[in-house]
Amino acid sequence: MSTLTNVDESSLPATRVDDNFGGKSGARAFKDQLARGLMWAAFIVALIPLIWILGATLVKGGQTVLDPSWWTNSQAGITSRREGGGAVHAIQGTLIQAGVTALISVPIGVLTAIYLVEYGRGRLARTVSFMVDILTGIPSIVAALFIYALWVVTFGFQRVGFAVCLALTMLMIPTVVRSTEEMLKLVPNELREASYALGVPKWKTIMKIVIPTSFSGIVTGVLLGLARVMGETAPLIILGPYTAVIATNLFDGLMPTLPSMIFQTYGESLPAAVNRTWGAALTLILLVFLLNIAGRFIGRFSKVRN
């Protein structure tokens, strides 16, 4: 048997635990601070143009937007040299087109994402994913020209607001698909497996477990898509020319929107028209902001609670 020897612990060299496990060397601490500083610098650089754009729009368009007639009147009978008039016609047109575009894009985008995440396997899934990637990179003017060739040249229809919605749908679908796809992937597989273990069919698991769990993220993706298409101008110029009067019929005549109003009034280069341009720009920013607030509200109160 070996003999145990008592050793005086005080004679052993002192070793700090953090030297081997928790401590930071000088180089690591420097790299950490450097990365932190670069992150904040990048954040500030990205924030500067945003603040500048918002500030300039508020200063130059705030007075126009604060006029009550801006929200109640159209530009009917208002010349480029005359102050006054409102943007109610353009606001209505923007909301109508955005709503119809969302009605078409959201079901297609969400169902496509569900297929890719929950069912998609093999060549068909790869083809669908590849086509979504192609749509993501298509410029808005290309989508507008495609719908123009199909709607006007091939079928012989007139340039109307619904044709604009079709072009905007091509731009919104890939955003909804990719954002929804990422949110569905974040749902833990344990939730699906627990549901399957209880004998719940796959389609009901998707409807009752997967979608409600990721609903707030899906709403955010939809709002990102809406924010993109609401500011597009090329499809409006090519497929839906501007009019200064109220027009809400997507299948008859011209269709006013805020982007087309900005494009039309800014080209006139007169003080009254420029003021209306900044007012329309600020109105569009406010609409997108309200949409995001509504989306956050819906997402917060629709989360699955334990």
Side-chain angles (χ1 to χ4, degrees):
M1 296 180 63
S2 60
T3 305
L4 297 177
T5 305
N6 293 330
V7 179
D8 187 5
E9 295 181 357
S10 61
S11 63
L12 296 176
T15 303
R16 295 185 304 174
V17 177
D18 58 354
D19 286 344
N20 296 324
F21 297 98
K24 288 185 178 179
S25 64
R28 290 177 58 194
F30 173 77
K31 292 179 181 178
D32 178 72
Q33 294 298 324
L34 179 62
R36 191 186 302 271
L38 290 176
M39 181 190 68
W40 279 105
F43 171 74
I44 294 173
V45 169
L47 198 62
I48 289 174
L50 175 62
I51 295 177
W52 182 83
I53 292 173
L54 291 177
T57 308
L58 284 171
V59 171
K60 298 181 180 181
Q63 185 175 358
T64 303
V65 172
L66 291 176
D67 187 353
S69 63
W70 179 258
W71 303 95
T72 57
N73 298 340
S74 67
Q75 291 293 314
I78 304 296
T79 63
S80 58
R81 297 180 179 275
R82 177 184 169 188
E83 294 283 353
V88 66
H89 62 304
I91 296 172
Q92 290 180 357
T94 299
L95 293 177
I96 291 172
Q97 287 188 358
V100 173
T101 302
L103 286 176
I104 301 173
S105 304
V106 173
I108 296 175
V110 172
L111 290 176
T112 301
I114 291 174
Y115 167 74
L116 292 175
V117 175
E118 304 293 337
Y119 296 97
R121 300 293 185 274
R123 183 177 300 177
L124 179 59
R126 291 194 298 269
T127 302
V128 173
S129 181
F130 178 71
M131 296 304 297
V132 171
D133 290 336
I134 292 177
L135 285 176
T136 303
I138 289 181
S140 59
I141 192 170
V142 174
L145 289 174
F146 171 76
I147 297 299
Y148 181 86
L150 186 67
W151 183 266
V152 179
V153 177
T154 303
F155 295 137
F157 298 143
Q158 298 295 320
R159 296 190 299 167
V160 292
F162 185 73
V164 177
C165 295
L166 295 178
L168 296 179
T169 297
M170 295 180 61
L171 302 175
M172 186 173 176
I173 284 178
T175 303
V176 176
V177 171
R178 287 309 181 204
S179 60
T180 304
E181 187 178 1
E182 293 302 321
M183 291 301 105
L184 295 178
K185 289 179 179 179
L186 291 177
V187 177
N189 286 327
E190 288 79 3
L191 295 178
R192 298 180 177 88
E193 293 170 357
S195 179
Y196 299 152
L198 295 175
V200 180
K202 187 169 186 175
W203 69 269
K204 187 173 288 187
T205 299
I206 295 172
M207 295 298 298
K208 299 294 185 180
I209 303 296
V210 178
I211 292 180
T213 303
S214 58
F215 184 76
S216 60
I218 295 174
V219 171
T220 302
V222 171
L223 292 178
L224 288 174
L226 274 177
R228 179 192 176 187
V229 300
M230 286 177 66
E232 290 291 347
T233 307
L236 303 173
I237 298 173
I238 296 174
L239 298 168
Y242 173 75
T243 179
V245 300
I246 295 176
T248 58
N249 191 343
L250 288 172
F251 298 93
D252 184 20
L254 308 179
M255 191 77 179
T257 59
L258 288 170
S260 58
M261 180 180 177
I262 294 170
F263 177 80
Q264 181 72 24
T265 55
Y266 187 77
E268 297 171 356
S269 301
L270 296 172
V274 171
N275 291 336
R276 286 191 286 268
T277 299
W278 285 105
L282 181 57
T283 304
L284 184 59
I285 291 175
L286 291 175
L287 287 179
V288 174
F289 177 75
L290 291 176
L291 277 176
N292 281 275
I293 293 296
R296 292 296 182 91
F297 181 83
I298 294 172
R300 174 173 296 182
F301 290 93
S302 61
K303 289 181 179 179
V304 177
R305 293 176 172 82
N306 297 328

PDB file of all heavy atoms in Angstrom, residues 173-195:
ATOM      1  N   ILE A 173     -44.072  38.976 -52.974  1.00  0.00           N
ATOM      2  CA  ILE A 173     -44.098  37.541 -52.676  1.00  0.00           C
ATOM      3  C   ILE A 173     -42.756  37.021 -52.160  1.00  0.00           C
ATOM      4  O   ILE A 173     -42.718  36.323 -51.134  1.00  0.00           O
ATOM      5  CB  ILE A 173     -44.568  36.746 -53.912  1.00  0.00           C
ATOM      6  CG1 ILE A 173     -46.080  36.899 -54.081  1.00  0.00           C
ATOM      7  CG2 ILE A 173     -44.210  35.273 -53.786  1.00  0.00           C
ATOM      8  CD1 ILE A 173     -46.635  36.196 -55.291  1.00  0.00           C
ATOM      9  N   PRO A 174     -41.624  37.309 -52.809  1.00  0.00           N
ATOM     10  CA  PRO A 174     -40.359  36.752 -52.294  1.00  0.00           C
ATOM     11  C   PRO A 174     -40.011  37.235 -50.896  1.00  0.00           C
ATOM     12  O   PRO A 174     -39.440  36.482 -50.103  1.00  0.00           O
ATOM     13  CB  PRO A 174     -39.319  37.204 -53.321  1.00  0.00           C
ATOM     14  CG  PRO A 174     -39.942  38.327 -54.059  1.00  0.00           C
ATOM     15  CD  PRO A 174     -41.404  38.054 -54.072  1.00  0.00           C
ATOM     16  N   THR A 175     -40.354  38.485 -50.572  1.00  0.00           N
ATOM     17  CA  THR A 175     -40.091  38.982 -49.217  1.00  0.00           C
ATOM     18  C   THR A 175     -40.907  38.215 -48.193  1.00  0.00           C
ATOM     19  O   THR A 175     -40.396  37.824 -47.129  1.00  0.00           O
ATOM     20  CB  THR A 175     -40.419  40.483 -49.136  1.00  0.00           C
ATOM     21  OG1 THR A 175     -39.656  41.196 -50.108  1.00  0.00           O
ATOM     22  CG2 THR A 175     -40.112  41.027 -47.752  1.00  0.00           C
ATOM     23  N   VAL A 176     -42.178  37.973 -48.497  1.00  0.00           N
ATOM     24  CA  VAL A 176     -43.038  37.226 -47.578  1.00  0.00           C
ATOM     25  C   VAL A 176     -42.565  35.784 -47.456  1.00  0.00           C
ATOM     26  O   VAL A 176     -42.531  35.217 -46.359  1.00  0.00           O
ATOM     27  CB  VAL A 176     -44.504  37.285 -48.058  1.00  0.00           C
ATOM     28  CG1 VAL A 176     -45.404  36.429 -47.162  1.00  0.00           C
ATOM     29  CG2 VAL A 176     -45.003  38.726 -48.077  1.00  0.00           C
ATOM     30  N   VAL A 177     -42.171  35.181 -48.566  1.00  0.00           N
ATOM     31  CA  VAL A 177     -41.729  33.782 -48.540  1.00  0.00           C
ATOM     32  C   VAL A 177     -40.487  33.623 -47.674  1.00  0.00           C
ATOM     33  O   VAL A 177     -40.440  32.752 -46.780  1.00  0.00           O
ATOM     34  CB  VAL A 177     -41.444  33.278 -49.974  1.00  0.00           C
ATOM     35  CG1 VAL A 177     -40.770  31.910 -49.930  1.00  0.00           C
ATOM     36  CG2 VAL A 177     -42.724  33.190 -50.774  1.00  0.00           C
ATOM     37  N   ARG A 178     -39.482  34.453 -47.887  1.00  0.00           N
ATOM     38  CA  ARG A 178     -38.229  34.282 -47.161  1.00  0.00           C
ATOM     39  C   ARG A 178     -38.384  34.598 -45.673  1.00  0.00           C
ATOM     40  O   ARG A 178     -37.836  33.898 -44.816  1.00  0.00           O
ATOM     41  CB  ARG A 178     -37.148  35.166 -47.776  1.00  0.00           C
ATOM     42  CG  ARG A 178     -36.635  34.665 -49.120  1.00  0.00           C
ATOM     43  CD  ARG A 178     -36.242  33.227 -49.046  1.00  0.00           C
ATOM     44  NE  ARG A 178     -35.727  32.709 -50.321  1.00  0.00           N
ATOM     45  CZ  ARG A 178     -35.742  31.442 -50.647  1.00  0.00           C
ATOM     46  NH1 ARG A 178     -36.251  30.546 -49.821  1.00  0.00           N
ATOM     47  NH2 ARG A 178     -35.269  31.028 -51.810  1.00  0.00           N
ATOM     48  N   SER A 179     -39.113  35.655 -45.353  1.00  0.00           N
ATOM     49  CA  SER A 179     -39.292  35.994 -43.939  1.00  0.00           C
ATOM     50  C   SER A 179     -40.118  34.930 -43.221  1.00  0.00           C
ATOM     51  O   SER A 179     -39.781  34.522 -42.100  1.00  0.00           O
ATOM     52  CB  SER A 179     -39.956  37.362 -43.811  1.00  0.00           C
ATOM     53  OG  SER A 179     -41.227  37.368 -44.442  1.00  0.00           O
ATOM     54  N   THR A 180     -41.175  34.453 -43.864  1.00  0.00           N
ATOM     55  CA  THR A 180     -41.993  33.404 -43.257  1.00  0.00           C
ATOM     56  C   THR A 180     -41.204  32.102 -43.122  1.00  0.00           C
ATOM     57  O   THR A 180     -41.314  31.401 -42.113  1.00  0.00           O
ATOM     58  CB  THR A 180     -43.255  33.161 -44.101  1.00  0.00           C
ATOM     59  OG1 THR A 180     -43.974  34.386 -44.245  1.00  0.00           O
ATOM     60  CG2 THR A 180     -44.156  32.131 -43.449  1.00  0.00           C
ATOM     61  N   GLU A 181     -40.415  31.799 -44.117  1.00  0.00           N
ATOM     62  CA  GLU A 181     -39.596  30.583 -44.079  1.00  0.00           C
ATOM     63  C   GLU A 181     -38.645  30.611 -42.891  1.00  0.00           C
ATOM     64  O   GLU A 181     -38.499  29.608 -42.171  1.00  0.00           O
ATOM     65  CB  GLU A 181     -38.824  30.454 -45.386  1.00  0.00           C
ATOM     66  CG  GLU A 181     -38.076  29.160 -45.554  1.00  0.00           C
ATOM     67  CD  GLU A 181     -37.373  29.074 -46.900  1.00  0.00           C
ATOM     68  OE1 GLU A 181     -37.462  30.042 -47.682  1.00  0.00           O
ATOM     69  OE2 GLU A 181     -36.722  28.042 -47.152  1.00  0.00           O
ATOM     70  N   GLU A 182     -38.010  31.733 -42.660  1.00  0.00           N
ATOM     71  CA  GLU A 182     -37.079  31.828 -41.533  1.00  0.00           C
ATOM     72  C   GLU A 182     -37.807  31.725 -40.199  1.00  0.00           C
ATOM     73  O   GLU A 182     -37.300  31.112 -39.248  1.00  0.00           O
ATOM     74  CB  GLU A 182     -36.297  33.141 -41.616  1.00  0.00           C
ATOM     75  CG  GLU A 182     -35.351  33.224 -42.800  1.00  0.00           C
ATOM     76  CD  GLU A 182     -34.338  32.106 -42.807  1.00  0.00           C
ATOM     77  OE1 GLU A 182     -33.836  31.747 -41.713  1.00  0.00           O
ATOM     78  OE2 GLU A 182     -34.058  31.558 -43.893  1.00  0.00           O
ATOM     79  N   MET A 183     -38.991  32.313 -40.103  1.00  0.00           N
ATOM     80  CA  MET A 183     -39.743  32.225 -38.855  1.00  0.00           C
ATOM     81  C   MET A 183     -40.214  30.803 -38.582  1.00  0.00           C
ATOM     82  O   MET A 183     -40.206  30.345 -37.425  1.00  0.00           O
ATOM     83  CB  MET A 183     -40.956  33.167 -38.924  1.00  0.00           C
ATOM     84  CG  MET A 183     -40.607  34.645 -38.907  1.00  0.00           C
ATOM     85  SD  MET A 183     -39.679  35.142 -37.429  1.00  0.00           S
ATOM     86  CE  MET A 183     -38.038  35.325 -38.113  1.00  0.00           C
ATOM     87  N   LEU A 184     -40.619  30.086 -39.613  1.00  0.00           N
ATOM     88  CA  LEU A 184     -41.046  28.703 -39.417  1.00  0.00           C
ATOM     89  C   LEU A 184     -39.882  27.811 -38.995  1.00  0.00           C
ATOM     90  O   LEU A 184     -40.055  26.875 -38.209  1.00  0.00           O
ATOM     91  CB  LEU A 184     -41.671  28.173 -40.713  1.00  0.00           C
ATOM     92  CG  LEU A 184     -42.974  28.840 -41.162  1.00  0.00           C
ATOM     93  CD1 LEU A 184     -43.440  28.252 -42.483  1.00  0.00           C
ATOM     94  CD2 LEU A 184     -44.062  28.696 -40.114  1.00  0.00           C
ATOM     95  N   LYS A 185     -38.689  28.107 -39.499  1.00  0.00           N
ATOM     96  CA  LYS A 185     -37.523  27.309 -39.117  1.00  0.00           C
ATOM     97  C   LYS A 185     -37.137  27.528 -37.660  1.00  0.00           C
ATOM     98  O   LYS A 185     -36.470  26.668 -37.060  1.00  0.00           O
ATOM     99  CB  LYS A 185     -36.336  27.657 -40.021  1.00  0.00           C
ATOM    100  CG  LYS A 185     -36.476  27.158 -41.451  1.00  0.00           C
ATOM    101  CD  LYS A 185     -35.277  27.572 -42.297  1.00  0.00           C
ATOM    102  CE  LYS A 185     -35.401  27.067 -43.719  1.00  0.00           C
ATOM    103  NZ  LYS A 185     -34.256  27.487 -44.581  1.00  0.00           N
ATOM    104  N   LEU A 186     -37.519  28.667 -37.097  1.00  0.00           N
ATOM    105  CA  LEU A 186     -37.184  28.950 -35.699  1.00  0.00           C
ATOM    106  C   LEU A 186     -38.090  28.217 -34.718  1.00  0.00           C
ATOM    107  O   LEU A 186     -37.778  28.175 -33.524  1.00  0.00           O
ATOM    108  CB  LEU A 186     -37.273  30.463 -35.442  1.00  0.00           C
ATOM    109  CG  LEU A 186     -36.206  31.326 -36.128  1.00  0.00           C
ATOM    110  CD1 LEU A 186     -36.460  32.800 -35.835  1.00  0.00           C
ATOM    111  CD2 LEU A 186     -34.805  30.925 -35.689  1.00  0.00           C
ATOM    112  N   VAL A 187     -39.194  27.673 -35.187  1.00  0.00           N
ATOM    113  CA  VAL A 187     -40.090  26.922 -34.300  1.00  0.00           C
ATOM    114  C   VAL A 187     -39.396  25.621 -33.891  1.00  0.00           C
ATOM    115  O   VAL A 187     -38.976  24.847 -34.761  1.00  0.00           O
ATOM    116  CB  VAL A 187     -41.426  26.620 -34.994  1.00  0.00           C
ATOM    117  CG1 VAL A 187     -42.324  25.786 -34.085  1.00  0.00           C
ATOM    118  CG2 VAL A 187     -42.121  27.907 -35.388  1.00  0.00           C
ATOM    119  N   PRO A 188     -39.237  25.345 -32.609  1.00  0.00           N
ATOM    120  CA  PRO A 188     -38.518  24.124 -32.185  1.00  0.00           C
ATOM    121  C   PRO A 188     -39.195  22.854 -32.702  1.00  0.00           C
ATOM    122  O   PRO A 188     -40.423  22.731 -32.681  1.00  0.00           O
ATOM    123  CB  PRO A 188     -38.574  24.196 -30.652  1.00  0.00           C
ATOM    124  CG  PRO A 188     -38.824  25.641 -30.339  1.00  0.00           C
ATOM    125  CD  PRO A 188     -39.650  26.171 -31.464  1.00  0.00           C
ATOM    126  N   ASN A 189     -38.395  21.915 -33.157  1.00  0.00           N
ATOM    127  CA  ASN A 189     -38.933  20.640 -33.629  1.00  0.00           C
ATOM    128  C   ASN A 189     -39.606  19.854 -32.512  1.00  0.00           C
ATOM    129  O   ASN A 189     -40.445  18.988 -32.776  1.00  0.00           O
ATOM    130  CB  ASN A 189     -37.823  19.794 -34.258  1.00  0.00           C
ATOM    131  CG  ASN A 189     -37.401  20.322 -35.622  1.00  0.00           C
ATOM    132  OD1 ASN A 189     -38.219  20.866 -36.366  1.00  0.00           O
ATOM    133  ND2 ASN A 189     -36.121  20.166 -35.944  1.00  0.00           N
ATOM    134  N   GLU A 190     -39.223  20.134 -31.257  1.00  0.00           N
ATOM    135  CA  GLU A 190     -39.844  19.427 -30.139  1.00  0.00           C
ATOM    136  C   GLU A 190     -41.339  19.681 -30.084  1.00  0.00           C
ATOM    137  O   GLU A 190     -42.115  18.797 -29.696  1.00  0.00           O
ATOM    138  CB  GLU A 190     -39.196  19.861 -28.816  1.00  0.00           C
ATOM    139  CG  GLU A 190     -37.784  19.346 -28.608  1.00  0.00           C
ATOM    140  CD  GLU A 190     -36.747  20.141 -29.385  1.00  0.00           C
ATOM    141  OE1 GLU A 190     -37.134  21.140 -30.038  1.00  0.00           O
ATOM    142  OE2 GLU A 190     -35.552  19.762 -29.357  1.00  0.00           O
ATOM    143  N   LEU A 191     -41.759  20.893 -30.466  1.00  0.00           N
ATOM    144  CA  LEU A 191     -43.194  21.189 -30.479  1.00  0.00           C
ATOM    145  C   LEU A 191     -43.914  20.340 -31.519  1.00  0.00           C
ATOM    146  O   LEU A 191     -45.010  19.825 -31.269  1.00  0.00           O
ATOM    147  CB  LEU A 191     -43.413  22.676 -30.760  1.00  0.00           C
ATOM    148  CG  LEU A 191     -42.909  23.652 -29.702  1.00  0.00           C
ATOM    149  CD1 LEU A 191     -43.161  25.083 -30.146  1.00  0.00           C
ATOM    150  CD2 LEU A 191     -43.599  23.394 -28.376  1.00  0.00           C
ATOM    151  N   ARG A 192     -43.320  20.216 -32.691  1.00  0.00           N
ATOM    152  CA  ARG A 192     -43.932  19.377 -33.721  1.00  0.00           C
ATOM    153  C   ARG A 192     -43.988  17.914 -33.278  1.00  0.00           C
ATOM    154  O   ARG A 192     -45.012  17.241 -33.422  1.00  0.00           O
ATOM    155  CB  ARG A 192     -43.136  19.493 -35.020  1.00  0.00           C
ATOM    156  CG  ARG A 192     -43.095  20.887 -35.634  1.00  0.00           C
ATOM    157  CD  ARG A 192     -42.275  20.859 -36.918  1.00  0.00           C
ATOM    158  NE  ARG A 192     -42.242  22.130 -37.614  1.00  0.00           N
ATOM    159  CZ  ARG A 192     -41.357  23.096 -37.392  1.00  0.00           C
ATOM    160  NH1 ARG A 192     -40.418  22.907 -36.479  1.00  0.00           N
ATOM    161  NH2 ARG A 192     -41.394  24.226 -38.079  1.00  0.00           N
ATOM    162  N   GLU A 193     -42.849  17.423 -32.718  1.00  0.00           N
ATOM    163  CA  GLU A 193     -42.792  16.021 -32.320  1.00  0.00           C
ATOM    164  C   GLU A 193     -43.774  15.718 -31.191  1.00  0.00           C
ATOM    165  O   GLU A 193     -44.380  14.641 -31.166  1.00  0.00           O
ATOM    166  CB  GLU A 193     -41.369  15.677 -31.890  1.00  0.00           C
ATOM    167  CG  GLU A 193     -40.367  15.725 -33.042  1.00  0.00           C
ATOM    168  CD  GLU A 193     -38.938  15.623 -32.563  1.00  0.00           C
ATOM    169  OE1 GLU A 193     -38.738  15.574 -31.327  1.00  0.00           O
ATOM    170  OE2 GLU A 193     -38.020  15.598 -33.416  1.00  0.00           O
ATOM    171  N   ALA A 194     -43.934  16.662 -30.274  1.00  0.00           N
ATOM    172  CA  ALA A 194     -44.912  16.465 -29.196  1.00  0.00           C
ATOM    173  C   ALA A 194     -46.325  16.387 -29.753  1.00  0.00           C
ATOM    174  O   ALA A 194     -47.146  15.579 -29.298  1.00  0.00           O
ATOM    175  CB  ALA A 194     -44.791  17.597 -28.181  1.00  0.00           C
ATOM    176  N   SER A 195     -46.614  17.202 -30.733  1.00  0.00           N
ATOM    177  CA  SER A 195     -47.940  17.171 -31.348  1.00  0.00           C
ATOM    178  C   SER A 195     -48.157  15.865 -32.111  1.00  0.00           C
ATOM    179  O   SER A 195     -49.227  15.250 -32.026  1.00  0.00           O
ATOM    180  CB  SER A 195     -48.091  18.372 -32.291  1.00  0.00           C
ATOM    181  OG  SER A 195     -49.360  18.361 -32.925  1.00  0.00           O
TER     182      SER A 195
END
